[in-house]
Amino acid sequence: NFMLTQPHSVSESPGKTVTISCTRSSGSIASNYVQWYQQRPGSAPTTVIYEDNQRPSGVPDRFSGSIDSSSNSASLTISGLKTEDEADYYCQSYDSSNRVVFGGGTKLTVL
Amino acid sequence: EVQLVESGGGLVQPGGSLRLSCAASGFTFSSYDMHWVRQATGKGLEWVSAIGTAGDTYYPGSVKGRFTISRENAKNSLYLQMNSLRAGDTAVYYCAAAAGVIYWGQGTLVTVSS
């Protein structure tokens, strides 16, 4: 099976842009869709990106997703950072047997 | 409005059993793959099980043989039967519905302790 590796934490100032990476350890990042979840403290996760780059209804277009086959990674980019974006972010994909794989999570601090 | 409401959590002794339920509304339940995901306090998300629209089931090695996922489309309900519970199973358990977009419930707390 493969692992998804995320940075433990990132920080950036309000109004700036931040990118969170998610690197797949083996197999192609493009072979299975990647999802991104936001989890604010004390709350359940919510989906901010699905199928690599799709935004659910209600998610602002400040959130975008992409994959890069050269680095075998997916990225979540948040532009125009707001203090309300401060949360944990998790990437997720599937293996060839439809089992779910989560990244370890990245704590985003907006300061 | 999509709603997923988990229930059935609580305190159980090691070796005991518990059955979680997830009531779904606001979407065509039978058309969605359904998942259980758990999160221990201060830890990341851990996938627990999945059931496809055709009833195919999937488990990670950590729960295989102890947990059973099932669904009842006529009742728009998802279940997780958990047997031989261990302290390491203590977590908030979330149900999630996936068909492209993924919807999440609010979770139910399971505590395994003597």
Side-chain angles (χ1 to χ4, degrees):
Chain A
N1 213 347
F2 64 89
M3 295 173 53
L4 295 172
T5 300
Q6 302 179 232
H8 181 69
S9 62
V10 296
S11 61
E12 191 49 272
S13 303
K16 300 291 190 180
T17 297
V18 70
T19 297
I20 299 172
S21 62
C22 171
T23 302
R24 179 166 169 158
S25 61
S26 62
S28 172
I29 191 70
S31 60
N32 305 91
Y33 283 130
V34 175
Q35 282 63 234
W36 289 91
Y37 307 111
Q38 177 193 68
Q39 187 177 34
R40 295 188 174 107
S43 297
T46 62
T47 304
V48 291
I49 294 291
Y50 68 99
E51 293 182 351
D52 295 342
N53 55 18
Q54 301 300 301
R55 271 189 315 277
S57 172
V59 173
D61 60 6
R62 301 185 297 106
F63 290 81
S64 63
S66 63
I67 62 168
D68 180 357
S69 294
S70 65
S71 59
N72 212 35
S73 64
S75 294
L76 172 69
T77 299
I78 311 171
S79 60
L81 274 170
K82 301 183 177 184
T83 55
E84 67 201 47
D85 298 331
E86 190 162 287
D88 293 328
Y89 290 86
Y90 295 89
C91 62
Q92 174 264 312
S93 190
Y94 299 91
D95 69 11
S96 57
S97 301
N98 285 336
R99 285 185 291 265
V100 171
V101 180
F102 282 105
T106 298
K107 181 178 179 60
L108 170 62
T109 302
V110 181
L111 37 65
Chain B
E1 179 194 4
V2 171
Q3 279 203 315
L4 295 167
V5 180
E6 301 93 337
S7 61
L11 175 63
V12 61
Q13 291 190 338
S17 298
L18 211 55
R19 189 194 197 207
L20 304 183
S21 299
C22 173
S25 60
F27 64 100
T28 306
F29 179 77
S30 60
S31 298
Y32 281 66
D33 296 335
M34 297 298 296
H35 298 259
W36 288 99
V37 175
R38 69 185 179 186
Q39 186 174 38
T41 302
K43 302 297 185 181
L45 300 174
E46 180 187 12
W47 173 67
V48 172
S49 61
I51 185 165
T53 56
D56 43 320
T57 59
Y58 307 88
Y59 305 91
S62 57
V63 307
K64 195 168 186 178
R66 299 190 298 125
F67 290 10
T68 302
I69 189 172
S70 61
R71 65 191 301 163
E72 194 166 356
N73 291 338
K75 293 187 176 182
N76 288 344
S77 292
L78 176 73
Y79 307 103
L80 184 68
Q81 177 67 42
M82 303 187 294
N83 299 329
S84 304
L85 283 162
R86 309 163 179 167
D89 296 318
T90 295
V92 174
Y93 284 72
Y94 299 101
C95 71
V101 65
I102 299 94
Y103 302 113
W104 293 78
Q106 289 303 304
T108 186
L109 176 62
V110 172
T111 303
V112 183
S113 174
S114 54

